[in-house]
Amino acid sequence: MNTPEFPYGSGDLENRRSSTLLPEQAIQVLTEIQGPELVGEHPPINLPPASGDETEHTCHLLIAPHRAARPVSAAGDLPTDDVISIESVFRRGQSYFLMAFLGVLFLLLANPYPYARDCSTFAFLERVEQAAVSRDPKRVRHLLRIMLGLSRHCPHTVFGFNGLAGNSLKKAHFVSHRPADEIALYAAQQVAARLPSSLRSAAALIGPALRYPVEIARFGYADTDQCANEAASFVSRLHIHHPSWTFNAAVAVEEYPVLYIAPRDPELRPDGWPSQFGFMEIMGAGVVSTSVLARMVLAGAFGRSDWDRAAGSLRLPSIESIM
């Protein structure tokens, strides 16, 4: 198994450098240095099925209105002071690790605008944009191999990537977090748990046929390379059929690391939801990042039917034929 290497740290991290440090340990160190996390004030809010059928999936809402202040650089030219560039990190004195994995150097940062515990950002040290990574077949395959490979070292961590939908930063990066204790499985994983064993260890489509409001391709191959190759081929077919489409990706450890890929039309906006869906929302966990929506949610004025309508408005045609 390839092992992440941490050749350099900054500030308080200098005496903690170690080539044997595990990513989850590095993330926790960064989070501790950054200070108290802005999560946990409100526990996750459950959105059970309106039918009351306990065999159906439960979605969740995560209250994080502080994220409304996070910087955005997804549009326009890539600025030299992009918030996750190493120059910007140096200038503001933020603690970091440089991490090498599968031949790629990453800047590992604690997310100052977290939506869950141990939120972190893996920023490519290479000066490359998110759009380039999400549309180049070789880069997509390598990105997915990296996320799957890191997941083997981080069994309690969920990794996510947003292509051109749900992404707020233009510089190439992916993110990770540790789900709340109250959430055993995200909604998409709950649906996947009901799949026949033959499909759980192969490629399967989660969607309306399984009473999930939006389509997600799940790749459950135990072999990391096969999983990444099959998923990358699916993304390539997606771009051939619909050149303007993009995707969200999530990796989580179930029996072993598995990969979820959600095809997206970036022109579609979720009905009744204030921001574009990212990988969290696609997996069934809405990050409530505005104070207005937070008040509605806490008052019970936004419920499961509202969530299903928002997610369902992002459904795309012909996904099954692309599988």
Side-chain angles (χ1 to χ4, degrees):
M1 182 186 299
N2 290 285
T3 303
E5 296 181 355
F6 295 85
Y8 301 104
S10 67
D12 294 338
L13 307 182
E14 282 296 327
N15 61 353
R16 308 195 199 197
R17 287 186 290 180
S18 170
S19 62
T20 60
L21 195 66
L22 295 175
E24 285 183 338
Q25 294 171 324
I27 291 166
Q28 288 169 6
V29 167
L30 290 169
T31 301
E32 289 170 5
I33 291 173
Q34 180 172 267
E37 290 188 290
L38 298 174
V39 295
E41 182 179 351
H42 298 283
I45 294 174
N46 292 342
L47 296 180
S51 65
D53 185 350
E54 295 183 357
T55 65
E56 285 198 40
H57 60 278
T58 293
C59 298
H60 304 89
L61 296 178
L62 309 178
I63 307 297
H66 56 275
R67 283 181 58 78
R70 70 192 189 278
V72 174
S73 68
D77 294 333
L78 185 63
T80 56
D81 62 345
D82 189 286
V83 293
I84 56 174
S85 70
I86 195 164
E87 296 87 357
S88 181
V89 169
F90 282 166
R91 188 160 48 249
R92 63 177 178 267
Q94 183 177 359
S95 294
Y96 67 89
F97 276 115
L98 280 181
M99 187 192 82
F101 188 63
L102 294 183
V104 179
L105 271 175
F106 296 99
L107 195 63
L108 176 57
L109 304 166
N111 188 336
Y113 304 94
Y115 48 87
R117 295 177 301 180
D118 294 344
C119 266
S120 61
T121 299
F122 294 75
F124 285 72
L125 205 62
E126 177 188 2
R127 192 169 176 80
V128 59
E129 296 182 8
Q130 196 84 339
V133 172
S134 65
R135 301 200 65 84
D136 183 302
K138 290 183 179 179
R139 287 187 181 273
V140 168
R141 181 175 289 104
H142 200 47
L143 166 74
L144 300 179
R145 286 185 64 228
I146 288 168
M147 292 170 64
L148 286 161
L150 284 174
S151 193
R152 292 190 178 276
H153 296 277
C154 306
H156 308 296
T157 298
V158 173
F159 293 88
F161 175 83
N162 295 319
L164 301 182
N167 171 45
S168 59
L169 297 174
K170 196 172 184 182
K171 183 175 175 59
H173 67 288
F174 60 92
V175 298
S176 70
H177 71 278
R178 189 158 50 98
D181 292 336
E182 297 90 340
I183 303 177
L185 294 171
Y186 287 129
Q189 294 177 282
Q190 297 168 38
V191 175
R194 302 199 302 267
L195 290 169
S197 59
S198 59
L199 290 179
R200 284 185 56 78
S201 58
L205 185 65
I206 294 171
L210 295 173
R211 294 179 290 187
Y212 199 71
V214 65
E215 294 89 350
I216 307 178
R218 178 185 183 274
F219 298 88
Y221 301 99
D223 181 80
T224 296
D225 286 340
Q226 182 181 12
C227 196
N229 290 340
E230 294 289 343
S233 295
F234 170 70
V235 172
S236 293
R237 294 193 298 273
L238 186 73
H239 288 151
I240 290 172
H241 283 77
H242 302 277
S244 65
W245 285 6
T246 185
F247 70 97
N248 304 120
V251 172
V253 173
E254 293 172 8
E255 296 92 340
Y256 39 79
V258 298
L259 178 60
Y260 293 82
I261 299 284
R264 299 292 306 282
D265 181 347
E267 297 299 317
L268 289 180
R269 308 288 296 186
D271 184 13
W273 188 259
S275 57
Q276 183 59 284
F277 271 27
F279 79 95
M280 287 291 289
E281 286 77 18
I282 290 295
M283 292 294 287
V287 178
V288 180
S289 57
T290 70
S291 57
V292 172
L293 182 57
R295 288 193 294 269
M296 290 178 60
V297 168
L298 293 173
F302 185 96
R304 176 59 181 267
S305 59
D306 302 297
W307 175 261
D308 285 345
R309 182 178 70 251
S313 65
L314 301 177
R315 284 188 58 193
L316 298 176
S318 309
I319 298 304
E320 189 170 357
S321 65
I322 300 173
M323 287 290 290

